[in-house]
Amino acid sequence: MFNYTIRRLLMLIPILAAISVIIFAILKLTPGDPAMILLGDRATEELLRLTREKYALDQPFIVQYLKMMQNFLTGELNSIYYRDNVISVVMSRMIPTLELGFSALFLAVVVSVPAGIVSAIKRNSFFDYASMTTALFGISIPVFFSGILLIYLFAVKLQWLPASGYGGPIYTVDGARHVLLPALVLSFTLMASTTRITRSAMLDVIREDYIRTARAKGVRESSVILVHAFRNALMPITTNIGNQVARLFAGAVLTETVFAWPGVGRLAVNAIFRRDEALVFGAVLILSVIYVLVNLLVDLFYGVINPQVRYE
């Protein structure tokens, strides 16, 4: 496993380099002059020239890219708007994003995995149809629309929860109340796909001969389902959850904007409107690093779930 992990880590270098080129190219295709946006319409030609020289905005594409990468890797890439190091600015918003993402992941796993197991056991029952219909709604409804609906219901009509904002660390009462609505909205997509995947994986497993053998030997039904069946159905469920973790961060861009959540997603959206290329580049690249690392951890976790998996 050690050699496999080292090879995968080395493979991340060209992948992240390609991602950085794509991010930078998209930023350069965006219309408008960053120096003009930064200084305003009343900026003099001299100030514009000095600003372009300072941030290398008057250099060719490849020179600008290499300079931005060099500054990012050495920790010298500064945000034009915040006038601070990009990595520091992004990391200062990372805690709220992680709190929101992992709260959504917790809600999704706690609800969807048991729902998928029960749906598979009670196939074609009322619970099965209800859970699959709910999962279909969860996949179909956009995050921003379900967010507005929940704000109207729980914050405006019932006044049970705050409509937006950050209430502090998640372990405080105010922090938990503020994170509940955005986490619930963000978890809808993951709940839907995990419920369907869990049901499908369990249906495949409970038809196997060794499940019938366990039942014929008098093993308790709860042990047959949770120990023999669910353990062997974990592989596709884990793959889906691992892939969805990355989507949680992507979906957090919309969720954080709707709920005014001070995370990396909202930071990146505001940086796009301000044409803060350095901050957009750093935020998206850091989220990309998290994405590929999560996928690597999921691959390594296969060996824990199924000892028959070999890394070559």
Side-chain angles (χ1 to χ4, degrees):
M1 182 183 288
F2 178 76
N3 292 334
Y4 174 81
T5 306
I6 296 298
R7 284 202 305 272
R8 286 292 304 271
L9 289 174
L10 292 176
M11 287 172 60
L12 296 184
I13 296 174
I15 292 173
L16 292 175
I19 291 173
S20 66
V21 172
I22 293 172
I23 297 170
F24 190 77
I26 293 174
L27 288 174
K28 289 302 167 187
L29 289 174
T30 307
D33 184 355
M36 180 69 76
I37 295 173
L38 175 65
L39 298 176
D41 296 334
R42 297 182 180 180
T44 63
E45 287 297 327
E46 181 63 16
L47 281 175
L48 289 172
R49 184 183 63 79
L50 292 174
T51 302
R52 293 185 184 114
E53 287 180 0
K54 180 179 179 180
Y55 296 105
L57 299 174
D58 55 350
Q59 298 295 318
F61 176 88
I62 186 65
V63 176
Q64 291 186 47
Y65 168 73
L66 292 176
K67 184 174 181 58
M68 185 168 285
M69 275 302 293
Q70 180 188 6
N71 290 336
F72 179 79
L73 294 175
T74 56
E76 297 176 355
L77 184 63
N78 290 328
S79 162
I80 295 177
Y81 179 79
Y82 291 96
R83 303 185 186 283
D84 195 3
N85 183 272
V86 164
I87 296 177
S88 299
V89 174
V90 173
M91 296 311 293
S92 68
R93 304 295 187 92
M94 189 59 74
I95 296 299
T97 294
L98 292 177
E99 288 179 339
L100 176 60
F102 284 109
S103 299
L105 180 65
F106 175 77
L107 287 175
V109 172
V110 166
V111 173
S112 59
V113 172
I117 294 174
V118 175
S119 293
I121 297 171
K122 300 182 179 300
R123 187 184 180 192
N124 296 330
S125 64
F126 174 77
F127 182 87
D128 185 24
Y129 289 128
S131 62
M132 289 302 102
T133 304
T134 306
L136 182 62
F137 276 110
I139 291 177
S140 306
I141 298 177
V143 169
F144 64 88
F145 186 67
S146 58
I148 292 171
L149 287 180
L150 290 185
I151 288 174
Y152 180 74
L153 177 62
F154 291 103
V156 178
K157 284 294 184 182
L158 300 176
Q159 298 186 351
W160 289 353
L161 296 170
S164 62
Y166 180 70
I170 193 172
Y171 51 80
T172 63
V173 174
D174 204 27
R177 291 181 73 245
H178 278 80
V179 80
L180 189 55
L181 271 186
L184 188 61
V185 170
L186 191 56
S187 67
F188 279 163
T189 305
L190 180 56
M191 279 186 192
S193 62
T194 305
T195 303
R196 293 164 65 92
I197 293 289
T198 304
R199 177 183 181 273
S200 176
M202 287 295 292
L203 283 176
D204 290 339
V205 172
I206 60 179
R207 295 168 181 160
E208 296 290 336
D209 291 339
Y210 65 87
I211 297 295
R212 282 192 288 270
T213 303
R215 284 173 172 155
K217 290 169 65 177
V219 178
R220 286 189 304 174
E221 185 64 17
S222 59
S223 298
V224 172
I225 297 299
L226 297 178
V227 177
H228 296 276
F230 181 62
R231 183 176 181 182
N232 288 286
L234 266 178
M235 192 77 80
I237 298 171
T238 305
T239 302
N240 176 68
I241 292 175
N243 292 331
Q244 294 292 334
V245 167
R247 289 187 61 185
L248 285 179
F249 290 103
V253 174
L254 288 175
T255 309
E256 290 178 0
T257 303
V258 171
F259 288 93
W261 190 261
V264 179
R266 188 169 173 228
L267 177 72
V269 171
N270 291 334
I272 292 171
F273 286 120
R274 293 166 182 153
R275 282 303 306 274
D276 192 343
E277 294 183 352
L279 187 53
V280 176
F281 182 83
V284 177
L285 193 56
I286 290 174
L287 290 179
S288 302
V289 171
I290 294 174
Y291 181 93
V292 295
L293 288 179
V294 167
N295 278 278
L296 174 60
L297 291 176
V298 171
D299 287 347
L300 296 178
F301 192 60
Y302 287 155
V304 178
I305 298 172
N306 187 356
Q308 295 180 346
V309 174
R310 293 288 180 267
Y311 298 97
E312 297 178 355

